[in-house]
Amino acid sequence: DISDRKLAEEEARRHQAELAHMGRLNTMGEMASGIAHELNQPLTAIATNAYASIKMLESGDVANEKLADIMENIGIQAERSGEIIRQLRQFVRKEQPQRALLDLNELIEEVLMLLKPEIVKAGVLVERRLDRSIKRVMAQRIQIEQVILNLVKNAVEAMVKDNSATRRLIITTEMGGRHGVIVSVEDSGPGISKEMRDTLFDPFITSKEKGMGLGLSISQGIIEAHQGNLYLDSSSSGAGALFRFALPATQMEEESER
Ligand code: ADP
């Protein structure tokens, strides 16, 4: 029966190896879809802005300042695409992505700038309740921006799809928990149904025709990799959805302030 036990051990090891391999494949598949998802946004914006510039030039009615704004936006979006690709290369080389001390209020403003066309088109009113005195966090800029972007986009899309009469988005930053910075994104959309709640953060769960169901799952992975947490809060003031994430604030700053 020694050989029986050996056989069973061998079998268990093989099973483990298979599982690990499948896990890696899954992660790579998710990553590839995630990157396609992330790149799509800046590339679409670049194309839209480029065509808008051409139209403006062709019409002969060129407002220099407006054109400069559009060109600047193209530049920012192209840099963003480059950063996403750099990040992918780092991942493939298994390097740790660069983390830096970040002011989350700044990241929020940047994301709102990027999404401004969509927000305006959807008729969404954005209310900022940003605490200017929050501590900075040690994090990977593009990744955290991606999380904020996903939450804001989901909120806007939910209000449009629901045809909500009032379309209001409240973004809050505050210190909270134990030395943490909390970001909240609240909308006045339909909220999250009971059935949806349990699987909300699972990959490939979507209610959208063209959705991939990866936004929330990727976002949660990013925040957890930063020792934080991302969750749906049921204490929303209205019927809409309220998502929050918390990230640990830097202790270094506390010390240097003394
Ligand atoms: P996707 O946006 O591709 O569907 P997500 O993981 O970001 O993927 O979202 C999963 C699903 O969660 C969405 O399809 C939607 O049904 C629901 N959801 C996410 N955010 C909101 C929100 N703010 N309001 C209502 N439903 C939401």
Side-chain angles (χ1 to χ4, degrees), residues 37 150-151 154-159 161 185 187 189-193 196 199-208 210-219 240-243:
H37 185 78
N150 282 338
L151 295 179
N154 275 346
V156 171
E157 283 169 7
M159 290 188 279
K161 191 171 171 220
V185 178
D187 63 61
I192 313 284
S193 68
M196 193 82 185
T199 53
L200 195 61
F201 291 95
D202 293 351
F204 308 115
I205 297 292
T206 183
S207 63
K208 298 171 194 167
K210 286 186 184 155
M212 293 210 284
L214 287 172
L216 286 175
S217 119
I218 290 173
S219 299
L242 166 58
F243 285 90

Side-chain angles (χ1 to χ4, degrees), residues 15-33:
H15 188 61
Q16 279 262 309
E18 262 168 28
L19 279 182
H21 182 62
M22 251 167 59
R24 266 200 305 276
L25 281 185
N26 269 342
T27 316
M28 278 168 64
E30 273 178 36
M31 272 253 318
S33 325

Side-chain angles (χ1 to χ4, degrees), residues 20 27 48 51 54 71 98 104 108 162 183 190 197 199 244:
T27 316
T48 311
Y51 292 131
I54 293 171
M71 294 295 186
Q98 288 275 319
L104 288 174
I108 289 170
D162 186 52
V183 176
R197 232 164 267 182
T199 53
R244 288 190 205 276

Side-chain angles (χ1 to χ4, degrees), residues 17-161:
E18 262 168 28
L19 279 182
H21 182 62
M22 251 167 59
R24 266 200 305 276
L25 281 185
N26 269 342
T27 316
M28 278 168 64
E30 273 178 36
M31 272 253 318
S33 325
I35 280 156
H37 185 78
E38 283 185 38
L39 273 178
N40 208 28
Q41 164 91 22
L43 290 179
T44 308
I46 289 171
T48 311
N49 283 321
Y51 292 131
S53 319
I54 293 171
K55 240 186 173 166
M56 200 183 268
L57 287 167
E58 278 177 351
S59 75
D61 179 20
V62 185
N64 277 350
E65 209 169 296
K66 180 130 196 264
L67 195 59
D69 277 352
I70 298 178
M71 294 295 186
E72 191 187 349
N73 194 281
I74 291 180
I76 293 173
Q77 304 279 3
E79 272 172 26
R80 189 177 162 72
S81 314
E83 188 53 48
I84 292 167
I85 290 165
R86 254 191 302 287
Q87 196 190 318
L88 170 68
R89 283 164 77 184
Q90 271 175 342
F91 182 88
V92 174
R93 279 198 251 117
K94 299 218 169 57
E95 273 174 29
Q96 281 295 316
Q98 288 275 319
R99 291 191 180 185
L101 276 177
L102 305 174
D103 176 0
L104 288 174
N105 291 327
E106 232 174 68
L107 269 61
I108 289 170
E109 291 300 351
E110 229 169 89
V111 169
L112 288 176
M113 216 272 283
L114 282 171
L115 288 180
K116 195 170 174 195
E118 253 179 277
I119 291 172
V120 171
K121 189 168 167 230
V124 171
L125 231 90
V126 180
E127 188 183 323
R128 295 164 172 81
R129 297 183 186 164
L130 306 180
D131 177 352
R132 297 290 162 193
S133 66
I134 53 168
K135 291 218 163 65
R136 288 186 293 173
V137 297
M138 191 58 147
Q140 224 269 321
R141 188 179 196 99
I142 291 286
Q143 289 188 340
I144 306 300
E145 281 184 351
Q146 189 62 41
V147 172
I148 302 169
L149 190 124
N150 282 338
L151 295 179
V152 173
K153 258 181 96 100
N154 275 346
V156 171
E157 283 169 7
M159 290 188 279
V160 169
K161 191 171 171 220

